[in-house]
């Protein structure tokens, strides 16, 4: 069995398609931090911390699931 590393942008899009909300918490020279929240926009349940350039472009253009 071959394990494939997770794709952060795919993870974010799957989260949103499942009804969860998200928001950009931080963007810096070494990547982005995105908060994954419950579907009601409530409490944070996880975070994506990544240096993936595709994720950075996506969240810089749309900094939350509400945008």
């Amino acid at each position: 069995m071959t394990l494939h590393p997770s794709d952060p942008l795919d993870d974010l899009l799957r989260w949103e398609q499942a009804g969860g909300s998200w928001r950009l918490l931080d963007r810096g020279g070494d990547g982005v931090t995105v908060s994954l929240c419950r579907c009601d926009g409530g409490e944070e349940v996880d975070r994506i911390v990544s240096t993936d350039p595709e994720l950075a472009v996506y969240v810089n253009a749309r900094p939350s699931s509400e945008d």
Side-chain angles (χ1 to χ4, degrees):
M1 176 163 92
T2 304
L3 296 177
H4 298 282
S6 178
D7 180 321
L9 180 54
D10 283 347
D11 291 345
L12 180 65
L13 295 175
R14 271 196 311 272
W15 181 262
E16 186 173 10
Q17 289 169 354
S21 64
W22 60 269
R23 65 183 170 271
L24 177 63
L25 294 178
D26 186 43
R27 63 181 139 222
D30 57 344
V32 296
T33 302
V34 179
S35 174
L36 303 178
C37 300
R38 294 179 355 175
C39 62
D40 61 6
E43 75 180 272
E44 179 179 291
V45 294
D46 204 355
R47 286 187 178 186
I48 297 174
V49 179
S50 176
T51 58
D52 180 70
E54 290 179 354
L55 177 64
V57 167
Y58 186 82
V59 299
N60 282 327
R62 184 177 176 225
S64 83
S65 56
E66 303 301 314
D67 294 327

